[in-house]
Amino acid sequence: MVQHRPVSAAHRLLSLDIVLALLALAGGLRVLYLAASAPALPAEAATVAHVYALGNLTTFADAGGAGVSPFGWLQLAAATMVSDAFGRSATALAAVRETVLVAALIGTVLSWLLARRLGLTRWASAAAVLLLAASPLALGLQRLVVVEHLAVAWALGALVLITRRRARIRHDIAAAVCLLAAVLTSPLALFFLPAAGWLLARRAPVRAALVAVLLNLGLGIAFGPAAAALRPHLAAATRPSAADWAALDPASVVLSLVVLVAAVAVKPVRPLAATGLLLAATLLVPGVPDTAVLALLVPVTPLLLAGVAQAVTRRRSHARHGVAGSGGRAGVARAWTGPTHTATPPSPTHHASTSQAKGAPGPSPTYRGGTSPAKNAPPTAAARHGRTTRRRTLPALAVAALVAALAVSWGVGYSGLRPAVDRGGPLADARDWVHVNASGSRLLVDDAAWAELANTGWPTGMLAPPATCSVTCPPAEWAVFGTDETALRKHYPALDGAFTGAGPTAVFGAGDTRVTVWRLGLPPPDPAAPPETPARAHAGEALAASARITLSPEAAAVLREGGVDSRLIATIAALAATQPVGVAAFPDVPGEDAAGQPRRRVLLTGDEDGATAFFTGRLDLFRPASVVRTAGGVLVTYPLFAPPGLLTLTR
């Protein structure tokens, strides 16, 4: 084991300052990128839903493929309950990501402690933690709700306990408990057992046997009698793949591949190198989720890099000091030997005859290397300076090239993460829209929508996730699904049947973050009825031509395009018959324009009292959902879905 020297109070304070600065950097960057939308992990939504369900003592069945980790869910649920994360955060996803962020910061501190206990210097340890704190690859991974982030924190904690100076039995027992917790959180944490056993065997083989017995006992219980409640299963292999993650930080990935092999030759970090190589080899196994493996591997490679760099630096330093020692006068005396009276063997050959001892001429002495003193003379000061300059220049150039490569790589990675200012996102917008327009209805929802709606008070009994459609879907009026809707409909035929007659009512976001709200059970369109949009456009053209109606340019354009609800067109025409009407705008309801819905709100100016009285007095079909006086005028809002055929197309 590494020999430790007493540490002064000043050095302890310096280490504390370094750790606090690195924690501030790691925490700040992770908070900034907490709501980044890409790369996205499909299984993340199911984990969030399980955590919410466990924390609120309700049930949830995911759509499959998200993996199982009861102990990991329990840890996340306990943390969110203690911190009231669900109550404080904008979304359920942000609440659980906040807990994962705390686990990442704990891992940062444990990485520092492990680096120091493995014999790395203070600055080598700081460099390792800096790489972990600021790498775009680590930022992208450690913002996702993946139970492997908890597992690696447990595993690092076990290694820190194992490498503790003057460790006692209680520390080894605690290490065994940490290893058991890591494996119960994620089965991939088994790859940390070789490193733990290796480090224990270095220190005390008997203790290694004790830890092995305790660990096997715990695993036997967890995977035996308690398997139904504790046994974890890996998630299905989905995107993002290892190549997708590598695109965030290609320089660090290449560097990690090199140090995984080179670290095998460095004794202090050799046990960690074994774990790193096993995890890297797992990336080649089909069916294993790359994101889960990388979540365990990313905290390991910076430690290996720092260990290799320190070993190379010390080797060069020792070599340089050796050369310097032989370059002075004493070194010259050792470089060649002339006739001396010391106890060391003389330089001249032993073939000298006895006549040489009597002063007779004999053969010239032979010197080491077969050269004369003139040819084996010590290097000049200029030659020594040139060699020293080359030895210093080459490492400096290598370090500069490495820093430049990391800077370019990190610049690409940071731009790819795209931090989001809006902490809610499309799913939060869809959630708010459903609360306003479909409150009290039964919904078919995907895993992500289940967690968001349940977190905002929607009764879980009124939310039907896709797993409830394994045989037949429960009756529902609305559906809220993300981009996984097509795949889920193929997987659950009953769910596909529930979408018969459905129409998109609101669409939020785009691409992989798109969320669509569907109205289920709409009546089929009448093929004999005239199309609605041309009828609205024709009536809108006539309305815009009225001298009693003043329209803003934007409002006139929307009206002529047929983008206004037919009830609004009819009531504005009726209001214009009684008083002049000013229309400032037809404000859109967020999400409805993208779904092709007509605008059902109008902002009226002019005689606000008359407009308010007119619209509040409407009955039946023409009664608005709300009439509100605002600073800009009277805002009139109609409910969704005007009856078809309300306007007759005339030519």
Side-chain angles (χ1 to χ4, degrees), residues 282-618:
T282 308
L283 292 172
L284 305 177
V285 179
V288 177
D290 292 347
T291 300
V293 176
L294 290 173
L296 296 171
L297 183 59
V298 161
V300 173
T301 51
L303 296 174
L304 300 180
L305 176 60
V308 171
Q310 176 175 294
V312 171
T313 302
R314 285 183 172 177
R315 182 170 298 179
R316 290 187 59 85
S317 176
H318 293 163
R320 184 169 63 251
H321 291 159
V323 170
S326 63
R329 293 181 180 177
V332 173
R334 291 191 297 270
W336 66 282
T337 54
T340 61
H341 298 284
T342 63
T344 58
S347 303
T349 61
H350 63 280
H351 299 291
S353 61
T354 55
S355 59
Q356 292 173 319
K358 298 177 181 178
S364 301
T366 302
Y367 297 91
R368 293 181 182 177
T371 59
S372 64
K375 292 184 179 181
N376 202 24
T380 63
R384 290 197 303 272
H385 178 72
R387 282 204 297 261
T388 303
T389 302
R390 285 194 298 273
R391 292 191 190 100
R392 293 177 179 177
T393 302
L394 292 177
L397 291 176
V399 171
L402 177 60
V403 171
L406 287 176
V408 174
S409 179
W410 287 10
V412 174
Y414 281 123
S415 61
L417 286 175
R418 297 191 301 273
V421 178
D422 182 12
R423 295 292 183 182
L427 185 55
D429 295 336
R431 175 202 65 196
D432 297 339
W433 188 96
V434 170
H435 272 286
V436 172
N437 297 281
S439 181
S441 301
R442 183 183 291 273
L443 309 179
L444 290 177
V445 293
D446 61 7
D447 296 345
W450 189 95
E452 293 300 335
L453 288 166
N455 186 41
T456 52
W458 203 285
T460 55
M462 303 291 285
L463 298 173
T468 60
C469 296
S470 56
V471 178
T472 181
C473 280
E477 295 85 24
W478 297 85
V480 184
F481 281 83
T483 55
D484 55 351
E485 169 244 332
T486 303
L488 290 172
R489 289 172 65 174
K490 291 181 179 178
H491 186 69
Y492 296 101
L495 179 62
D496 187 56
F499 272 81
T500 302
T505 307
V507 177
F508 301 90
D512 293 337
T513 62
R514 187 185 75 251
V515 178
T516 304
V517 181
W518 302 77
R519 183 68 167 95
L520 304 179
L522 291 175
D526 184 3
E532 289 292 321
T533 302
R536 293 196 301 264
H538 183 79
E541 187 70 37
L543 202 65
S546 173
R548 296 180 62 82
I549 300 176
T550 304
L551 297 165
S552 66
E554 180 187 357
V558 175
L559 195 60
R560 291 189 174 98
E561 291 171 358
V564 178
D565 190 287
S566 56
R567 293 165 295 182
L568 275 179
I569 295 175
T571 50
I572 291 173
L575 178 61
T578 62
Q579 66 179 53
V581 178
V583 178
F586 292 101
D588 66 307
V589 177
E592 294 186 11
D593 276 5
Q597 296 293 325
R599 297 195 179 184
R600 52 190 178 92
R601 297 198 297 185
V602 64
L603 185 63
L604 301 172
T605 57
D607 186 1
E608 297 184 4
D609 293 335
T612 302
F614 176 83
F615 278 98
T616 53
R618 297 302 92 190

Side-chain angles (χ1 to χ4, degrees), residues 20-325:
L20 291 177
L22 292 171
L23 273 178
L25 175 64
L29 289 174
R30 278 153 182 77
V31 169
L32 178 63
Y33 288 94
L34 187 67
S37 58
L41 183 66
E44 190 178 22
T47 303
V48 173
H50 279 294
V51 171
Y52 179 86
L54 189 60
N56 290 272
L57 302 180
T58 186
T59 58
F60 172 76
D62 60 65
V68 177
S69 179
F71 186 61
W73 300 339
L74 181 62
Q75 296 172 64
L76 292 172
T80 54
M81 291 172 64
V82 170
S83 63
D84 191 29
F86 283 114
R88 293 183 293 98
S89 301
T91 63
L93 176 62
V96 187
R97 281 187 173 183
E98 176 185 303
T99 304
V100 174
L101 184 150
V102 174
L105 295 182
I106 293 174
T108 300
V109 176
L110 293 174
S111 295
W112 166 272
L113 293 174
L114 181 59
R116 295 291 288 148
R117 292 185 179 183
L118 288 175
L120 272 65
T121 64
R122 185 177 293 106
W123 300 113
S125 303
V129 178
L130 177 62
L131 288 175
L132 177 62
S135 169
L137 175 58
L139 289 178
L141 276 168
Q142 293 182 342
R143 84 185 204 290
L144 296 178
V145 180
V146 180
V147 294
E148 280 72 19
H149 296 314
L150 307 178
V152 75
W154 284 112
L156 291 175
L159 298 181
V160 168
L161 288 169
I162 289 171
T163 53
R164 177 185 173 89
R165 287 183 293 169
R166 296 184 296 275
R168 299 186 178 182
I169 292 181
R170 65 174 181 269
H171 300 124
D172 293 336
I173 294 175
V177 172
C178 289
L179 289 173
L180 178 62
V183 175
L184 291 181
T185 303
S186 172
L188 290 172
L190 285 168
F191 290 118
F192 279 88
L193 299 186
W198 198 332
L199 290 170
L200 266 173
R202 280 182 179 179
R203 175 167 57 84
V206 176
R207 298 280 185 87
L210 172 64
V211 170
V213 169
L214 293 176
L215 185 60
N216 286 328
L217 177 63
L219 291 176
I221 295 174
F223 286 79
L230 291 175
R231 185 174 182 174
H233 298 280
L234 289 177
T238 58
R239 298 185 70 87
S241 64
D244 298 327
W245 287 116
L248 287 179
D249 195 357
S252 294
V253 170
V254 172
L255 198 59
S256 298
L257 293 175
V258 173
V259 299
L260 279 172
V261 178
V264 176
V266 181
K267 185 178 179 180
V269 295
R270 193 174 294 158
L272 273 184
T275 290
L277 287 173
L278 290 173
L279 287 171
T282 308
L283 292 172
L284 305 177
V285 179
V288 177
D290 292 347
T291 300
V293 176
L294 290 173
L296 296 171
L297 183 59
V298 161
V300 173
T301 51
L303 296 174
L304 300 180
L305 176 60
V308 171
Q310 176 175 294
V312 171
T313 302
R314 285 183 172 177
R315 182 170 298 179
R316 290 187 59 85
S317 176
H318 293 163
R320 184 169 63 251
H321 291 159
V323 170

